[in-house]
Amino acid sequence: MDISEFPLTWRWTQSSHAKLPDHILTELQPLDLQSVLLLTNNIPSVLVADFSRFVADNDDTTRQWLMQLDISSPRVIVVWRADLALSMPWTTFCQYWDDFCYPSSDNADIFLECGRLFLRWRHYEVFECDPEL
């Protein structure tokens, strides 16, 4: 599937929501169901016992917080549910995080390219982060 067929594409192509530049859209790679199921098959309901929380009450402050995380993976995978997942550059996620993480409606797990869950977005506008980054 290419990005134009992805069910959430309207979020990044409609001026009523966000109109991401074409070069950014080409970096977004939908994952097939089988790949997502392999990734999410054994994820815990709680990230880690001592996860840290970040309240995302300001877009720029949140962007800065995300960029300061020590992420060695050039790409991350955002999973909303088993049939909705995208691979993208970490820098793209940081820059446009609020276009991928909607308050009130979205819960999302964010994985490193190697498959490690390290970040969760909660619809009540909180990121949960694995402190072992």
Side-chain angles (χ1 to χ4, degrees), residues 10-90:
W10 57 269
R11 290 184 175 191
W12 314 302
T13 59
Q14 308 267 329
S15 56
S16 60
H17 292 81
K19 195 144 175 77
L20 299 185
D22 287 341
H23 73 278
I24 297 295
L25 290 173
T26 61
E27 295 176 336
L28 306 180
Q29 299 173 349
L31 273 68
D32 61 63
L33 181 61
Q34 185 72 15
S35 298
V36 179
L37 290 175
L38 284 172
L39 189 65
T40 61
N41 196 26
N42 293 313
I43 61 171
S45 57
V46 175
L47 187 60
V48 291
D50 59 343
F51 65 84
S52 61
R53 287 181 180 229
F54 181 85
V55 177
D57 57 1
N58 177 285
D59 293 349
D60 290 331
T61 303
T62 303
R63 193 171 291 110
Q64 291 170 3
W65 177 79
L66 288 166
M67 290 191 300
Q68 63 82 32
L69 293 176
D70 190 20
I71 304 302
S72 59
S73 181
R75 296 185 71 84
V76 296
I77 299 166
V78 180
V79 179
W80 292 271
R81 57 180 207 241
D83 61 337
L84 289 175
L86 286 177
S87 170
M88 70 186 72
W90 172 241

Side-chain angles (χ1 to χ4, degrees), residues 113-130:
E113 202 169 25
C114 67
R116 179 175 168 224
L117 175 64
F118 76 99
L119 192 62
R120 281 194 160 144
W121 167 255
R122 295 293 173 225
H123 66 273
Y124 42 87
E125 301 183 56
V126 170
F127 277 106
E128 297 172 353
C129 183
D130 183 344

